[in-house]
Amino acid sequence: QGQLVESGGGSVQTGGSLRLSCVASGRTFSTYAMGWFRRAPGKEREFVSGISWSGLSTRYEDSVKGRFTISRDNARNTVSLQMNSLKPEDTAVYYCARGSGPQYSDYVPAVSYAYDYWGQGTQVTVSS
């Protein structure tokens, strides 16, 4: 059974930075797109960023463009999200997910139903 484990969440002040990591195990992840989603209190889960299997294609939600950077290390089965210039509206539980396919595609989906394995989430809290 595949497993994704996120880490790196925490509490920071406005303008601060955090780096989230997601380690995959038990299934093939390196040949699939990977994504980060978040769910803020009282809101629907939303796409934050995604990266193709090769790392050549990335995609960002408009509100995080220029502040967040996604990357992956397939040799380590790890996907990371560097978050800079954090704002209170970034407060949410962040989830890592694996795209459902096809493999070896440089398309990055931005909808949750296009992802099939999910981590348990890590809390990010940004205070003003």
Side-chain angles (χ1 to χ4, degrees):
Q1 192 72 6
Q3 186 177 20
L4 298 171
V5 179
E6 303 96 335
S7 62
S11 297
V12 297
Q13 293 188 327
T14 297
S17 297
L18 286 171
R19 185 177 180 86
L20 305 184
S21 293
C22 171
V23 179
S25 63
R27 285 276 184 175
T28 299
F29 292 89
S30 62
T31 58
Y32 292 85
M34 297 292 293
W36 286 95
F37 289 75
R38 66 187 178 187
R39 187 194 300 272
K43 294 187 177 181
E44 296 291 319
R45 182 171 55 191
E46 66 172 355
F47 174 80
V48 176
S49 180
I51 187 167
S52 64
W53 76 277
S54 66
L56 293 178
S57 296
T58 59
R59 190 168 182 176
Y60 297 93
E61 193 268 331
D62 286 346
S63 69
V64 308
K65 286 180 180 177
R67 300 189 297 122
F68 291 10
T69 303
I70 191 170
S71 60
R72 68 188 298 163
D73 184 341
N74 286 340
R76 297 175 183 267
N77 284 331
T78 300
V79 178
S80 298
L81 186 68
Q82 177 67 41
M83 305 187 298
N84 299 328
S85 302
L86 283 162
K87 304 175 181 180
E89 50 264 44
D90 295 318
T91 295
V93 178
Y94 284 71
Y95 300 90
C96 171
R98 190 196 80 164
S100 57
Q103 298 184 71
Y104 304 110
S105 171
D106 279 321
Y107 174 72
V108 180
V111 289
S112 60
Y113 60 76
Y115 291 81
D116 53 6
Y117 286 95
W118 295 80
Q120 82 290 348
T122 185
Q123 176 71 46
V124 171
T125 303
V126 185
S127 58
S128 57

